[in-house]
Amino acid sequence: MQDADDVRRICLSLPDTEEKTAWSMPTFRVAGKMFATLPEEETSMAVRCPKAERDELVLAEPGKFWVADHEAGSAWVRVRLAALEDADELRDILADSWRQAAPPRLLESHPELGVVVNG
């Protein structure tokens, strides 16, 4: 089962990432821009996710993904850590969120993180 320590380890392994406490919880930022948080006593995480994809995720796997009321208008989704299949799934979700927040210079210099090109 994945936990907050796994989230922290993976986040901090991503380039130019730092941990900062905000709203009384750990947040993770790439080049100063937030891409993950550990709310709900660190039993879940919130990550960036385009709204259209987020809605599909929540419908497909409501036991794993949900949207907090105060985040309904933003491009964030919550993920229940205990519902994740393994560390690879956790890493994929965090890397995707990191890519959405990272500046172009980091995306270009870290192709191993699988930059997704829309189209």
Side-chain angles (χ1 to χ4, degrees):
M1 182 172 84
Q2 304 308 298
D3 63 19
D5 290 337
D6 297 312
V7 172
R8 185 171 280 108
R9 177 180 48 77
I10 292 169
C11 283
L12 294 175
S13 75
L14 295 167
D16 203 15
T17 295
E18 67 179 354
E19 181 175 347
K20 181 178 178 183
T21 300
W23 308 287
S24 302
M25 73 178 131
T27 67
F28 299 90
R29 299 159 190 260
V30 55
K33 196 169 179 182
M34 193 164 38
F35 72 93
T37 68
L38 283 166
E40 281 89 42
E41 286 77 48
E42 300 186 3
T43 60
S44 70
M45 65 179 178
V47 293
R48 291 177 172 267
C49 184
K51 289 182 191 178
E53 291 176 28
R54 175 189 76 182
D55 295 343
E56 290 175 19
L57 285 172
V58 171
L59 284 172
E61 297 185 81
K64 187 180 293 185
F65 301 101
W66 88 99
V67 178
D69 290 342
H70 69 280
E71 293 168 343
S74 62
W76 286 81
V77 68
R78 299 287 175 103
V79 185
R80 290 176 180 85
L81 296 176
L84 293 174
E85 293 175 26
D86 55 28
D88 288 339
E89 183 179 26
L90 175 60
R91 182 168 178 76
D92 288 347
I93 291 169
L94 288 168
D96 185 57
S97 186
W98 180 91
R99 282 191 297 272
Q100 292 175 60
R105 68 173 171 78
L106 281 176
L107 296 174
E108 292 166 6
S109 62
H110 294 282
E112 74 280 7
L113 290 171
V115 175
V116 177
V117 177
N118 292 329

